[in-house]
Amino acid sequence: MKHAYLFTFLLALLLGRPVALRAQALTDDTRQQLDYLFAPLDKTQVPTGFLIEYGLPLAPLDPFNGTLTDSSLTNPAGFRFLYASAYSARASGSNPLPTLQTLNARVEAATATAGTAIPLLVQRIDYATVRPDAFDLNLLSYQNGQIYDVPERTKSPYLLRTLFAAAPARATAPTGDVSFMFQPDLHIQSGGGTVQALRIDFGDGRGYVAAAWNQPVTASYATAGTKRIKVRVTYASQQYTISNSTSPIQQAAPQALPSYESHFDIEVAQPAVACTTCRYAVPGSVIDIDPVPGVHSGAKVSIRYGGSHTQLIRPFIVVEGYDKHFIAPAISPENYDVSKFLEEIEIANGFNFRDALDNTGEYDLVFIDFTNGTDDLLRNAVIFEDVLDRVETLKVVNPATNQREDNVVMGMSMGGLISRYKLAEITKAGRPTHTRLLLLQDSPQRGANVPLGLQATIRQANFPLGSSTTADMIPALKQALLLLDEPATRQMLVHRATDATGGFEANSFLDGAYRGMVTFSATGAQPTYRVVAASQGSQCNQILFGSYTELFHADGRLFLSPFPLISRYSYETQVIVNALPSGGQSRRVSYMQLKRRLRLLGFIYRSTTTSVSYACPSGLLAWDGVSPAGGTEPVSGTPGGLNKPFGGSFLIFLDATLNVAAVERFSFVPTASGLDAEIINQASLFGSYSNGVAPVSRLQVAAFVAQESYQANGTTYFNQPT
């Protein structure tokens, strides 16, 4: 079933930097070292006011000069690293460039209004760099750790350069119809004159296609895969000249119109092939539930009729699980909708749930797609009740039985928490639920788990760099941090790391408001529906790994840059992440040591070493290696995970030579949690749940299914309740 859970990319972001406790000091030290190094210079002599050696060397600017090379390929994070490098290089006068935070806000606003078009980010910035022979020619001098102007020098020690780069707001497209849009407030410029022409080459044989501001330009690809996009912008000429003395720079006469090029890749997804003969292939009606401020964020409800139905007769209501797309499109580019649900439940060589829904009872599928799939569970529960009411209005009498059918509700993962809570609330309020069966599919009834060490490391990955942070530069990291603090995350995770250095929060929702609602007293109202929990995990206590296992161990060299092969800013690093220990011990679950190496002007070197660790509090059960339900999450991103070069689509700022050892997966939803067993100790957490009974811990559901069919003594058995 659906693995729409948390943070499949966690390790992709954890290696950027030591924790917030020390990160500020390290970043300030870099800025202070640069300020001290260049303090004696008369910075008013720097052409354009930007001196690249004075800025934080987050990414090398020289390959991005408007000429296409293998080294000048950009991406959304790389664009931001380049921009932050240029922004921090302002040596004199006020900075004419907007902050990176302002630029990011513009990108978010543009994305929200561009429809299916992908906004393009463009930067053209003139800057100065120190001549490579400036010290040999006695134009500058280096004394006692500082750089000085040389009086009466015969020429300027600076050369003029131009940074040009373009990148998409997102690097994925869900279909072969791909549109881009130039927008003026996403075109950042310092120098170069006004824009004269905008062009895009989609690599589809048409060459460069003319574009205009705020107008989408489209290409249609017949195949999926990586597409190389080129961008060309032509400007009215504006150049600077440099005096041979220490006098100010002068503006040159206009030259021929210069054009600058940049290129990037975009991943075009394989469009789903509509199956015209499959069950539920014909779209039925769609109900758009508009958001209600202060109440909920809205939803899209899709109805697909079963059998020969043309009206709603036997509703099978599916409540979707944790869907990251709304909050984190850089991590989850596509929304999980009814089409993806149908694809996942159709198995050609196994049990085909898609066909069974129709064959068994001609169920009518009602799929709830929440606008914000990580919103507060109780807000989305309001939507679920709205859908129940709408279904009851639309439902007609079953002509085969001459009766109105009660609903079957299937709550997937988080959706199981939402539906169970609301059905109980309706029951206790004395209202009918019109529901006969609630299926909890891999639903974390006792909590979901992301190892504390992994949570801590993603917190540690965000640290200041000048006036920006790594989260400002890496959209996936920024969105990962948002996900860690989303309401649904806090309500589902059994425990959370609230900061990078030991902050901790235990789940209070599941054993509090949630448990109080779904538990019925013997004397109060009783549910008229049956609750069955299903888990796709191991019923026989097949653990993933032992307590305090090293989930992740990395040693080697990495670059804080999306361009590792040409970066000049690197770290020697050691990163260790452990699973939770047994016996409720308080032990270190994450450790980082990084040694920064910075090279300037070919002969000036700086280095700083720092380390940090995160220890779990005492009294925790060892959740990480528990026998999982349907929810496991990858750790390494590489099958097998052991002693392999670390790679993956999210590792945009790590050098490929980093050596990594990692376990392949951790348990996101333990079987006991998926089956709503009382997890009172390690034995109940790791217990065996088989043959329809729970030998270790009492279940809070009427029945359960813990695993698919299995063979024994030549007979096929299903773990179903009697």
Side-chain angles (χ1 to χ4, degrees):
M1 300 297 284
K2 174 185 174 186
H3 281 186
Y5 297 126
L6 302 172
F7 322 133
T8 59
F9 56 91
L10 278 170
L11 267 297
L13 300 170
L14 64 85
L15 296 176
R17 181 62 175 78
V19 298
L21 181 67
R22 296 290 304 278
Q24 181 65 48
L26 181 59
T27 303
D28 283 348
D29 181 65
T30 304
R31 181 72 268 170
Q32 290 167 3
Q33 288 187 34
L34 291 169
D35 287 341
Y36 177 80
L37 180 66
F38 289 96
L41 281 183
D42 179 4
K43 300 179 184 61
T44 62
Q45 297 184 42
V46 176
T48 77
F50 292 95
L51 178 60
I52 197 57
E53 288 81 6
Y54 179 70
L56 295 173
L58 306 176
L61 269 60
D62 43 299
F64 302 89
N65 58 13
T67 301
L68 300 181
T69 66
D70 291 341
S71 298
S72 66
L73 194 67
T74 69
N75 56 54
F79 182 95
R80 290 169 169 85
F81 272 84
L82 291 168
Y83 186 79
S85 298
Y87 185 92
S88 68
R90 188 65 180 181
S92 64
S94 60
N95 202 322
L97 304 178
T99 65
L100 186 54
Q101 294 88 340
T102 298
L103 177 59
N104 284 338
R106 294 179 184 179
V107 173
E108 291 176 6
T111 301
T113 59
T116 58
I118 301 173
L120 285 174
L121 290 69
V122 180
Q123 57 182 315
R124 187 219 175 277
I125 301 170
D126 288 330
Y127 65 93
T129 183
V130 175
R131 294 174 57 112
D133 56 2
F135 294 91
D136 294 337
L137 297 178
N138 200 33
L139 305 177
L140 295 174
S141 65
Y142 181 69
Q143 305 171 38
N144 301 320
Q146 292 184 297
I147 299 175
Y148 292 82
D149 290 302
V150 174
E152 300 181 2
R153 59 193 175 207
T154 58
K155 62 177 66 176
S156 171
Y158 306 113
L159 298 174
L160 286 174
R161 296 288 184 263
T162 297
L163 163 65
F164 183 81
R170 66 176 187 275
T172 58
T175 71
D177 294 325
V178 181
S179 298
F180 294 103
M181 184 186 298
F182 289 98
Q183 296 182 281
D185 62 348
L186 299 184
H187 176 269
I188 309 301
Q189 184 177 351
S190 180
T194 58
V195 173
Q196 302 297 301
L198 304 166
R199 297 180 178 86
I200 301 176
D201 185 345
F202 289 90
D204 57 359
R206 293 184 294 165
Y208 274 107
V209 178
W213 295 119
N214 300 317
Q215 297 296 319
V217 181
T218 304
S220 295
Y221 296 105
T223 60
T226 303
K227 310 299 180 183
R228 179 66 52 86
I229 309 297
K230 300 177 185 177
V231 172
R232 178 188 290 169
V233 182
T234 302
Y235 298 87
S237 178
Q238 178 180 322
Q239 297 181 348
Y240 294 95
T241 60
I242 305 176
S243 169
N244 288 335
S245 65
T246 58
S247 61
I249 61 174
Q250 300 176 350
Q251 191 97 354
Q255 307 295 317
L257 298 181
S259 292
Y260 297 85
E261 291 182 295
S262 184
H263 55 168
F264 55 83
D265 288 340
I266 188 165
E267 292 296 325
V268 175
Q270 180 67 53
V273 178
C275 177
T276 57
T277 60
C278 293
R279 309 299 174 89
Y280 305 105
V282 179
S285 58
V286 174
I287 302 171
D288 289 315
I289 299 179
D290 295 330
V292 178
V295 180
H296 62 71
S297 299
K300 178 180 180 180
V301 182
S302 300
I303 299 177
R304 302 284 180 94
Y305 297 112
S308 58
H309 300 170
T310 57
Q311 292 178 291
L312 201 57
I313 295 176
R314 302 199 72 194
F316 186 91
I317 303 172
V318 178
V319 187
E320 77 159 334
Y322 190 93
D323 190 346
K324 303 180 287 290
H325 174 73
F326 181 78
I327 294 296
I331 297 165
S332 183
E334 297 183 56
N335 177 50
Y336 188 85
D337 58 13
V338 64
S339 297
K340 290 182 172 55
F341 170 74
L342 288 171
E343 290 172 18
E344 289 193 352
I345 66 173
E346 181 178 4
I347 304 173
N349 298 317
F351 176 69
N352 192 320
F353 187 35
R354 182 171 181 168
D355 286 352
L357 276 178
D358 200 12
N359 291 339
T360 302
E362 295 187 343
Y363 284 103
D364 301 313
L365 179 63
V366 180
F367 185 89
I368 305 175
D369 179 8
F370 298 115
T371 300
N372 183 355
T374 60
D375 201 356
D376 188 291
L377 272 60
L378 303 190
R379 283 167 53 89
N380 279 337
V382 175
I383 297 174
F384 171 63
E385 183 175 11
D386 187 353
V387 173
L388 289 178
D389 292 340
R390 292 173 186 255
V391 165
E392 197 59 25
T393 300
L394 295 172
K395 194 189 308 180
V396 298
V397 171
N398 188 342
T401 62
N402 203 31
Q403 294 180 343
R404 290 170 61 87
E405 299 274 353
D406 280 339
N407 308 321
V408 174
V409 177
M410 177 178 172
M412 301 174 61
S413 180
M414 179 191 74
L417 298 172
I418 292 170
S419 52
R420 190 179 184 188
Y421 183 97
K422 181 52 71 172
L423 287 174
E425 183 182 64
I426 294 172
T427 299
K428 290 182 176 182
R431 302 192 304 272
T433 63
H434 304 291
T435 298
R436 66 176 180 84
L437 177 63
L438 170 61
L439 302 172
L440 305 176
Q441 173 64 46
D442 289 330
S443 181
Q445 295 293 309
R446 298 286 172 165
N449 173 65
V450 171
L452 276 177
L454 296 187
Q455 294 185 51
T457 51
I458 202 168
R459 300 271 188 199
Q460 294 161 5
N462 184 35
F463 59 92
L465 289 172
S467 61
S468 304
T469 68
T470 48
D472 292 326
M473 300 177 205
I474 306 172
L477 174 57
K478 180 179 180 180
Q479 294 168 16
L481 292 166
L482 291 174
L483 285 174
L484 281 173
D485 295 323
E486 273 295 281
T489 306
R490 302 180 67 155
Q491 291 168 317
M492 288 200 301
L493 285 186
V494 68
H495 39 231
R496 287 196 319 127
T498 58
D499 61 35
T501 58
F504 175 83
E505 178 182 271
N507 191 307
S508 61
F509 172 75
L510 291 175
D511 285 336
Y514 179 76
R515 187 57 51 185
M517 181 57 71
V518 302
T519 302
F520 291 88
S521 67
T523 58
Q526 298 299 308
T528 57
Y529 50 89
R530 189 163 177 250
V531 181
V532 175
S535 165
Q536 287 184 305
S538 170
Q539 64 184 10
C540 300
N541 190 25
Q542 300 297 312
I543 66 172
L544 295 175
F545 47 79
S547 60
Y548 210 63
T549 294
E550 280 193 358
L551 298 180
F552 184 87
H553 190 130
D555 292 281
R557 191 181 186 197
L558 66 91
F559 297 99
L560 183 64
S561 170
F563 316 111
L565 300 182
I566 56 176
S567 179
R568 291 140 199 164
Y569 195 53
S570 65
Y571 291 107
E572 298 293 333
T573 183
Q574 182 181 56
V575 181
I576 303 172
V577 179
N578 291 90
L580 288 174
S582 62
Q585 303 173 74
S586 175
R587 298 185 66 179
R588 186 205 75 201
V589 291
S590 71
Y591 172 80
M592 288 189 184
Q593 183 185 71
L594 289 93
K595 184 176 182 179
R596 186 208 65 202
R597 298 181 183 275
L598 171 63
R599 174 171 58 90
L600 287 173
L601 302 171
F603 67 94
I604 301 173
Y605 295 88
R606 297 287 186 269
S607 64
T608 303
T609 301
T610 188
S611 64
V612 70
S613 62
Y614 180 104
C616 67
S618 60
L620 302 182
L621 300 180
W623 281 66
D624 299 331
V626 176
S627 171
T632 60
E633 289 297 312
V635 171
S636 65
T638 53
L642 297 176
N643 301 317
K644 297 185 179 183
F646 200 64
S649 60
F650 296 105
L651 293 182
I652 54 178
F653 57 90
L654 301 186
D655 179 70
T657 61
L658 192 67
N659 294 315
V660 171
V663 301
E664 188 172 352
R665 287 185 171 274
F666 64 84
S667 176
F668 180 71
V669 181
T671 300
S673 179
L675 300 181
D676 197 18
E678 289 183 309
I679 301 174
I680 56 178
N681 52 35
Q682 202 71 21
S684 55
L685 181 60
F686 279 79
S688 174
Y689 297 86
S690 59
N691 299 323
V693 295
V696 176
S697 182
R698 186 167 60 91
L699 297 180
Q700 301 301 305
V701 295
F704 72 94
V705 181
Q707 196 170 351
E708 295 179 8
S709 62
Y710 62 95
Q711 296 287 330
N713 300 320
T715 304
T716 299
Y717 293 91
F718 293 88
N719 182 40
Q720 297 178 346
T722 57

